[in-house]
Amino acid sequence: MKNSELSKEVSYALRHAPWKYELEMDKNGWVEVNQLLDALHRDEKWKDIQLSDLIEMIETSDKKRHEIVDGKIRAYYGHSIPMHIKKEKQQPPNELFHGTARRFLENIENNGLLPMSRQYVHLSIDIETAFQVGKRHDNKPIILKINALEAWNNNVAFYRGNEKVWLSDNIPFEYIQIVK
């Protein structure tokens, strides 16, 4: 069993299909770890997974996607479930970045950055990460610089996803610059 496979399975359960695993998720996206383990144990592939495996998965992951606190686990970001996961507003750094496909640029210029099929707009703290994200949708993605602190000062909400990812409900185009 590889940590990356387990991470994908846990992400799917917590971010996209908790009902398929019969998980009871609270309004902040938390699920009892024992409930998740019981759900995973129903699949032969995951029958031997323990709490220590989940902890190792989180600690060794280069992308911090999950956290465990007081016997509960949640995904930091990336939810597509209908329930809106509540986040606490936090002041962002001066600038953030977003990588996207060229074909979306006109829509962004007209409407700003919107969450689309996700609950939040995902933003990166550096150009390199934004570029890698954008490459998922276009081999020559557009990189957008977000004047995050200025937007924050004008009442645009930001939420910290993890060390590298910030979230927002939407970003008006007036706070966006095309980098490349």
Side-chain angles (χ1 to χ4, degrees):
M1 182 248 349
K2 293 183 180 174
N3 281 338
S4 61
E5 289 178 70
L6 179 58
S7 180
K8 286 179 184 177
E9 187 78 18
V10 170
S11 291
Y12 181 69
L14 297 177
R15 292 162 63 178
H16 306 296
W19 59 88
K20 286 187 179 180
Y21 296 80
E22 299 177 11
L23 299 176
E24 295 173 27
M25 183 175 287
D26 73 17
K27 66 180 182 177
N28 297 312
W30 292 103
V31 170
E32 294 286 337
V33 171
N34 288 334
Q35 192 178 76
L36 176 64
L37 288 170
D38 288 344
L40 291 171
H41 291 156
R42 291 185 210 129
D43 184 327
E44 185 65 26
K45 181 176 184 177
W46 307 113
K47 69 179 178 70
D48 296 323
I49 293 296
Q50 302 297 319
L51 173 60
S52 59
D53 297 308
L54 293 175
I55 292 169
E56 179 184 335
M57 172 199 76
I58 291 169
E59 289 177 352
T60 60
S61 174
D62 58 339
K63 295 180 179 178
K64 298 296 179 202
R65 292 185 169 129
H66 311 98
E67 66 178 327
I68 295 178
V69 177
D70 297 331
K72 294 184 177 186
I73 186 169
R74 73 174 172 180
Y76 278 121
Y77 59 88
H79 299 84
S80 66
I81 56 177
M83 180 181 118
H84 194 74
I85 304 298
K86 295 187 186 294
K87 298 276 188 185
E88 269 188 56
K89 292 179 185 178
Q90 288 189 12
Q91 181 176 320
N94 286 339
E95 57 189 30
L96 293 165
F97 300 90
H98 183 82
T100 192
R102 292 168 285 174
R103 67 184 179 275
F104 298 141
L105 188 57
E106 184 179 345
N107 188 43
I108 293 168
E109 288 172 333
N110 291 330
N111 302 303
L113 277 172
L114 303 172
M116 307 311 282
S117 64
R118 291 188 161 179
Q119 293 194 8
Y120 297 100
V121 174
H122 289 73
L123 306 165
S124 304
I125 62 166
D126 58 69
I127 290 176
E128 296 79 24
T129 303
F131 183 76
Q132 291 306 315
V133 171
K135 280 192 75 156
R136 294 180 194 159
H137 308 287
D138 188 327
N139 62 350
K140 293 181 183 173
I142 299 280
I143 303 301
L144 305 173
K145 181 174 100 172
I146 313 306
N147 296 315
L149 190 56
E150 180 185 352
W152 168 263
N153 289 333
N154 288 304
N155 297 316
V156 174
F158 288 87
Y159 317 92
R160 188 178 177 140
N162 65 25
E163 306 84 50
K164 292 187 171 192
V165 175
W166 281 80
L167 309 168
S168 183
D169 299 311
N170 67 314
I171 308 287
F173 190 71
E174 67 191 272
Y175 303 108
I176 299 171
Q177 295 174 323
I178 301 166
V179 177
K180 59 179 176 177

